[in-house]
Structures are given as C-alpha cells and as structure tokens.
Amino acid sequence: MKTLLEARGIGKRFGGLQALADVSLTIREGEVYGLIGPNGAGKTTFFNVLTGAYTPDGGAFAFDGGELPTGKPHRVVARGIARTFQNIRLFRELTALENVMAGHHIRTRAGIWGILTQNRHTREEERETTERAYELLRYVGIERFADTVSRHLSYGDQRRLEIARALATEPRLLALDEPAAGMNATETGRLKALIEQIRGDGVTVLLIEHDVKLVMGLCDRVAVLDFGRKIAEDVPAVVQRDEAVIKAYLGGGKHAH
Amino acid sequence: MDAETLQQLINGLVIGSVYALIALGYTMVYGILGLINFAHGDVLMVGAMTALQTMLFLMGVAPGMSPVAMLTLALLVAIPVSMLIGYTMERLAYRRLRNAPRLAPLITAIGMSFLLQTLAMIIWGRNYHTFPQLISTTPLQPVEGVFVTPVQIVIIVVSALLMIGLTLLVNRSRIGRAMRATAENHRTASLMGVDTNAVIAFTFIIGAGLAAVAGVMYASNYGIAHYGMGFMPGLKAFTAAVLGGIGNLGGAMLGGIVLGLVESFGAGYIERLTFGFLNSSYQDIFAFIILGLVLIFRPTGLLGERVSDRA
Amino acid sequence: MNELAAAVPWLGKRNPTAARWLILILAIAAPLIAWQFGRSWVRILDFALLYMMLALGLNLVVGFAGLLDLGYIAFYAVGAYTFAFLASPHFEVHLPFWLVLPLGAAFAALAGIMLGFPVLRLRGDYLAIVTLGFGEIVRIFMLNLNYPVNITNGPQGIGMIDPIVLFGWDLSQNLQITEDFAINSLFLYYYAFLACVAGSILFIRRLQISRVGRAWAAMREDELAAKAIGINTRNLKLLAFALGATFGGVAGCLFGAFQGFVSPESFSLMESIAVLTMVVFGGMGNIAGAVIGAFVLALLPEILRHIAVPLQQALFGHVLLDPEVLRMLLLSLAMILMMLLRPTGLIPARARYAHPENLHRSSQP
Ligand SMILES: Nc1ncnc2c1ncn2[C@@H]1O[C@H](COP(=O)(O)OP(=O)(O)OP(=O)(O)O)[C@@H](O)[C@H]1O
Ligand SMILES: [Mg+2]
C-alpha cells in the first residue's frame, strides 16, 4: 500500500521536558493507525507538531509525497490533514451547522467583492457549503441538531460535531485525539462504526485512544509512545504482547485497562 | 558624563520611579487575575485630588501647620480613600466578571476609568488645580549645571522604600505567600486553604495605596492636578509593566525605571534625531512605541518567562 | 434589515413584514419629526447616522472578529483629514467628492493594515492597549504637525472644507423645489447618510453570512481551533482591521464635508470609547445592536442636554452637571452596567452565520 504520511525523527522539547524524541513512523493510505501510550507520553504533542500548532525542534513530515510545512496550520489543512482536540474545541456560540460550514472555509474561494455583490459563484458556493454541511451532520448522525448552538449539545454529540467539522475540510488524513474519552459503551460502539465508515470512504485515520478494546478492534497498526519515544510499532495483536509496552503501561499505571 | 546627560539621567530616574510604583499595581492585579485594570491610573488621580482637597482644608483650618505634617495628613487621607475605591471596583464589578467572556472585564475596566474621571470632573471641575508644593522645589546644584529639587530626591527615596517594603511583603509574609499561591493557580490555592477572594481584594487595595502615593508625588513634582491626570501615567506604567514582564514585580520596577530613562533621554534628543522635525511635544509617543516594540519582539518582557498557548 | 425588524418590540415577532415597513417609514420620516422640534434636531440625526456607520464598522472588528480596538476613531480622523487636505483652501486643493471619498477610505484601510500588522499576534487585552496607543499617536500628530511644516494646522484644525457635491448637486445648499418651498440642506445630508448606512448594513449583513463572517466568528470563539480547520487567522484579522477602518474612513470623509471643519478635538479617546459603548450597548456582533446602540447613545445625551439643563436650572438655580459631563457619565455607566447586567447587549438576538432557508427555497422546484 502507498505511504501517506511519513514522520522522520520528530523532536519537541518544552523547557527541560523532552515531549517527543526522534519519533519516526509511517502511515499508509487507507489504514486506521493507532497512537497509544501512557498519560504524558507525547501523543497530543505529536498531533500539535503534525498539524502545525507547534513547530518541531527537529525532524520533518512527508505527506503524500511532499514535504509538509511546519508551524503553518492553515497550509497543513489545505494539504489534507484535519484534526480534533482531546478537550473538545468547538465554536461554542455557533450552531452545529455553522460549525461545520466554518470547517469548509478552506475549500471555498469567494472574496470580498463576490460577497459584496453576491455574484453567481458566491451564491453557488454558499449553497454547496450549506448542503455539504447538512450531509456531514447526517453522516455523523446529528442532523436534527443542525440549528442547536453547539455548547448545548451533549458531550457525545459535541465529539461527533467536531469530527464533522474536521471532515468538512475534506481531509485525506483525519487525526482524532481520544474521540471516545468520556463516552459510554453504546456511544463508543457507534463511534467505532463511524470511524470504520470514514475509513471505508477513503479517509486515512490517525487515532489517539486510551480505550484498548477500541484500538485493538479498529486499528490496522499501532505505535506506542512512552516518554516521547516510540517503543513499539506493529499490528495490535503483537503490540499487545510486547514486553516494553506492557512495562510502560504498568510503569505509567493509570491506563492499563 | 557631561552635565546634560547627568541631568537627563536624574529626570528619568525621578519619573521612572513614579511609573514603577504605578506599574506594581498593574502587574500585581494582572498576575493574579489576568486583568488589565484600566482604571488603575485613575486611582492615582483620586489619590492626588483627595490629597489636594485635604491640604486645602488644612490650610483653611490650621494655617500655621508645618508642611511635613500637612503632607503626611494628606497622605493619610488619600491612601485609604484610594484603597476604598480600589476595593469597591473589585468587589462590585470585577469579582462578578471572573468567569465572564474574555472581553467583558476589560470593557468594564475601561468604563470604570471613565466613570472615575467623570465623577472627579463633577466634584473638582474641569480645571487644572495648583497642587501645593510643600516640599521645596528650589533646585540644588550638586554638580555644576545639574539641578535636583528636594521633591525629586524625596520621590526617589520614598519609591525605593515602598518597593523594598512591597518586595518584603510579597516574599516574606503570610499574605504574600497567599498572593503568590493565588497567582500560580486559584483552585489549588483555595484547596490549600487560601481565601482567594480576600487575597484578590487585598491585592487591589495594596495596588491602590501605591497608586495614591504615586499620585501625590506626581502632582507634587509638577505642581498641578486635574481629573484626567491619571490617564497618561497610567498608560505609561502599564507599558512599564509589560516592558518588565507583566506579572513580575521586579519587572515592573525595572520597566518603570527604563521607561522613565528612555522618555527623558528621548525627549532630550528627539529634536536632534529628527533634524528638528519632531520636538518634545512628541514625548508621549515613546511609551507607545516601546509598548508596540516590546509586544512584537519580546511579548514576555525583559524579565518574563515564556508561556505558550496550550493546544 | 431582518435583524432590525426583529428588534422592533412586540411587532417584530408577530409580523416581521409590518415591522420592516415601520422601520422604513420611521427612517424616512425621522427628520420631518425632528424638524418639529427645531433644525438642530435634524442636525443631531445626521450625526447619529454618522455614529451608526462608525458603530457598524467597529462592530465588524470587535463584534465579528473579536478584536478589541480602542483606537478606532483614528480611522475616522484619517478619513476626515484626508478630505480636509484634498478639498479645502488649506492646501488650495479642491478635488471632487467622488475622488476624495475613495481616497479617504483607502487611506483609512491602509492605516488599518498598518496597525494590524504589528498587533496580529497580541492577545485581546494587549491589543486593546496598543490600539489605544495608536489612536493617541494619531491624535498627537494631528495636534503637533503644524510645525516646522504646517500640515495639520495643529489644534486650530482645518476649516472651510468643501461640501459634498453629487453630480454637480451641492448638498450644503437648500434644494429649491418651487418659489417658496425648499428642502433644507440638513435633510439632503440626512438622506445621503441614510443611504450610506443602509448600504453599510447590507454589505455587513452579506459579510456576516459568508465564509468570511463564519471564519471571523470561528476565530473569535477559538483561535486555535480556527487555525486547525485551516483558517488563515493573520489574513482574516488584517481584513477585519482594513474593512472596519474603511467604514471609519468613509464616515470621516462624510463628517469632514458635512461639518466643514475638522480639528483634533473631534477624535479624542472619548470618541473611541463612545463608539465602543454603542457597540457594547446594542450587543457585540449584532448589526441591529450596533445601529440601535448608536442611535440611542447619540440621541440620549442631546435629549438630556435639553431636559437636564433647564431642569437643573429650575431646581437648583444653576447647572450642576453640564451636558458634556452628563454624556460621559451616561456612556461610562452604560458600559459598566451593560457588562454586569446584560453582557449580550440590548438586542439579545443571536447573530446568524448561515442561511439554510435559501437552501430549502432553491431546492424546491
Ligand atoms: N505547551 C506545552 N508547554 C509545556 N509542556 C507541555 C506543553 N504541551 C505538552 N506539554 C508536556 O508534554 C508532555 C506530553 O504531553 P502530551 O499532551 O503530548 O501527552 P499525551 O500523550 O497526549 O497525554 P494524555 O494521554 O494525558 O493526553 C506532558 O508532560 C505535558 O505536560
Ligand atoms: Mg493527549
């Protein structure tokens, strides 16, 4: 299978803390790739560096055959990488529909002049954005809340909305940061189905998750981070039995369900 | 060092120490609440005007009173009045807005600033008042061509003493520890048994007291006072706080002195630097330019630590 | 317009169409009503319309994009002084209105971008102070640039500015309809300004419900998340500053021409604060709010002036609070009380950034 994303020797340091150290990994097109590790292992930091929220101290990403710019989030999104946040970050005062429509920003072109004159192109584009947003809300299963202000949505629906907003950027790689956190078993089951559907529709998924069952059931391959280093990378069944991984989790403790 | 340079150095130190005193109030409140208390400069004005009112009263009832006693009494009135204003603002407005949307406390603070100015205008009118210069302003000439007035000496000494006092208070006392804990993290501090509301109120009160002293010194130095006198020094002190690294006490003091020096030297040389195009009426611009430059190139200030937005 | 109609008490919800007509009729009839109380009231209405433009422009920056700009009046000043430089005896230049207006707007926009660049990365509260500083710098230059070369004429300001002339039609002259019936120049200005305000509302409304409006809202709500969906926050902030400034610049040109005289006094910090209060009072991010806030807070001080002064004279025999003090008191209290009691503003409508009705309408055959 074709390589979609390649991270080469990524490093990131916060003061005295080495949050990522020489992390290299390869994600293939069409797979669900898991990124796991104990609390504070550097998973979210990896997302932040990948999506340009932080600049790495060293290393580089290759995406779809080209170098990825660092520290320029909008250019990264334009290239086709979208993310969600561990601690949901929606536009709280906007409705679900408006959140998703905002997500389509980067795929639209209308300029001030077009908006002022409401020319054909602008109107057409606006209609498409609205339609697509409805489609995506339906896709993640919250269409009935289209006009609800997003902060009034339930926790699970907010997570779904965040995924819909990310999908609206038309990504080729969707990076999800603990999407199942705080969900009950039913909700997690539905989330699993959603992620499978997203993969089925041709979007590669990079998944940070603590829920071992979900990771094992969904991921084609898994990488394990511990203290900023990659200590294992393989199919879930093998990773699960890896000595170093077991030790890291026992050492880190909290999440060895 | 030639006489002119020395003179500008002294002028800069004098005004700089006033800025530093005001900046301390900004920085303490910012450190604890993350709020720019826009009305802080106007508390200074309240201090100066109250002192003026007290002096005028005393001159009426006890014309023979010694200047030092009069000034002391004036301060003894002005400081508590300013503290009360500081406390009231916190209690009635800012406290209710602690969890409000981002811009709400700041907009309220701007409103407070203008409210205080308007109230002062109602009480004391629009005019400039002569501020009695109870400490002599006859210049001494320690070095040929360099002039220092006793007021200026008093300003530097008093500021230094207050700054030392505040540093001791924050670093050595119980309430100081509580202040530092609250600044670090409200939640943890209250879990450790700190009454954060009281600490925040105390911070406002201390800041207001310092501002009152600064106001009296400022007015004594220039010999005038009026309802809008707090605005510029307030803004400049804020600049000083940012320059030193907002939230950092040492930074506020350093920033104040540096700003005072830049202003004094800048005003002295601006005409030469711009070939006569700009003159010293542009003095007030320096603070803004410094503020802009600091925020662009070193937003954490001279002594501030780097803090980044967590993703 | 829809938002404005919805803001009409009682009627707005029951019959929006009627509310819309009511607003239209009121807007057209307002100067006629005001005339009954004296010509100065028509003049006050003219100024209220200028304030509306300012409030609409500032609302774009503060309400839409979430950037607290305390130096907004500087753009008004840039517009007004541009007009004064290019159409007055001061430099002996008299360019036509149609040329000066776009120039004033362009200079203001340029000033907006110049201010925007350095402050892009600043957090909300720093931004406020730096913009305030910017406003003050502009004012200091206006005050002092009469020496060594006289550019701004200093505190005296520039007078005898050319009036607005549209296609050879001078708005400063009463329009003679018949021998003994003429339309007062103040009315002409009123309707010209009304057209500008209406145009501004239309444009801003279109901006709000567009990819740009949504991107601003996103940036305002959560800058990091906005970046994560690919919004170029730098460009959008600059755009907000530039467009907001453009409105200020246009209003400034109109002001210069209408008043015939500009001086630094008209562009003090207090004016920036006044416009901000209008935005806050009506409700940040809300077009109807900006319009109503500007209307109320431009008129109220004048009404107070006419009521409070005689009242004080009758009660105390002299004036305790002069009108200017009353205005400041009103504005500062409005700002504080609004934030404490009703932070969403007078008009609590949630601003909308999408128009799904259009979708349904167009998808029906
Ligand atoms: N902006 C920042 N400044 C300083 N330190 C940071 C910053 N972001 C992350 N860190 C630190 O880097 C380390 C890795 O954090 P990260 O959030 O990547 O962990 P994680 O693997 O996502 O953990 P969790 O499972 O708890 O989400 C932690 O020790 C964290 O405190
Ligand atoms: Mg994490």
Side-chain angles (χ1 to χ4, degrees), chain B residues 35-63:
Chain B
L35 165 76
I36 297 177
N37 180 16
F38 212 86
H40 188 62
D42 301 287
V43 174
L44 168 159
M45 173 273 297
V46 171
M49 295 307 275
T50 315
L52 171 67
Q53 190 75 55
T54 314
M55 290 176 190
L56 292 178
F57 172 78
L58 290 174
M59 282 172 183
V61 294

Side-chain angles (χ1 to χ4, degrees), chain A residues 89 93 98 108 110 116, chain C residues 206 211 214 221-222 350 353:
Chain A
R89 300 186 81 139
E93 297 297 327
E98 289 163 354
T108 49
L116 172 60
Chain C
R206 287 182 166 179
R211 65 191 285 271
R214 284 187 293 272
E221 297 285 317
D222 188 332
R350 201 194 76 83
Y353 302 93

Side-chain angles (χ1 to χ4, degrees), chain C residues 157-180:
Chain C
I158 299 172
M160 301 193 12
I161 300 173
D162 298 348
I164 298 182
V165 182
L166 304 172
F167 314 110
W169 176 28
D170 186 343
L171 293 192
S172 69
Q173 303 298 320
N174 297 349
L175 181 66
Q176 211 71 37
I177 303 286
T178 62
E179 287 270 308
D180 42 28

